[in-house]
Amino acid sequence: LSRFYCDYCDTYLTHDSPSVRKTHCSGRKHKENVKDYYQKWMEEQAQSLIDKTTAAFQQGKIPPTPFSAPPPGGAMIPPPPSI
């Protein structure tokens, strides 16, 4: 008896057949687990990028005012409304 393990749900299905798998994968709980998994992954990726950017800034690899130089070609970029 082979049983299918679902990584997203951290559970074994009763048995491994296409119909059991299809029923499981179309279920609300499974879909929520998949969504949560990828949402958590995206948040981790974003945090990693923020951490790397912060570290680079603190080490002086990124200038403090990246928008202080005039835009190429003399184009003017309006400031954000908050200024």
Side-chain angles (χ1 to χ4, degrees):
L1 180 71
S2 68
R3 294 180 353 149
F4 175 74
Y5 179 75
C6 177
D7 286 310
Y8 298 110
C9 300
D10 189 28
T11 188
Y12 285 96
L13 304 186
T14 50
H15 58 279
D16 190 8
S17 72
S19 63
V20 168
R21 243 192 241 200
K22 186 175 180 185
T23 301
H24 172 78
C25 292
S26 62
R28 179 186 58 82
K29 190 86 173 139
H30 174 79
K31 288 179 178 177
E32 280 179 15
N33 287 338
V34 171
K35 182 176 77 78
D36 290 347
Y37 175 85
Y38 285 105
Q39 192 166 350
K40 188 176 175 187
W41 183 84
M42 289 295 288
E43 287 168 5
E44 287 169 1
Q45 296 302 307
Q47 189 60 55
S48 171
L49 187 61
I50 291 166
D51 293 343
K52 288 176 183 171
T53 304
T54 302
F57 179 78
Q58 288 171 343
Q59 293 168 12
K61 293 178 181 172
I62 299 174
T65 52
F67 300 110
S68 62
M76 285 303 293
I77 300 171
S82 61
I83 293 178

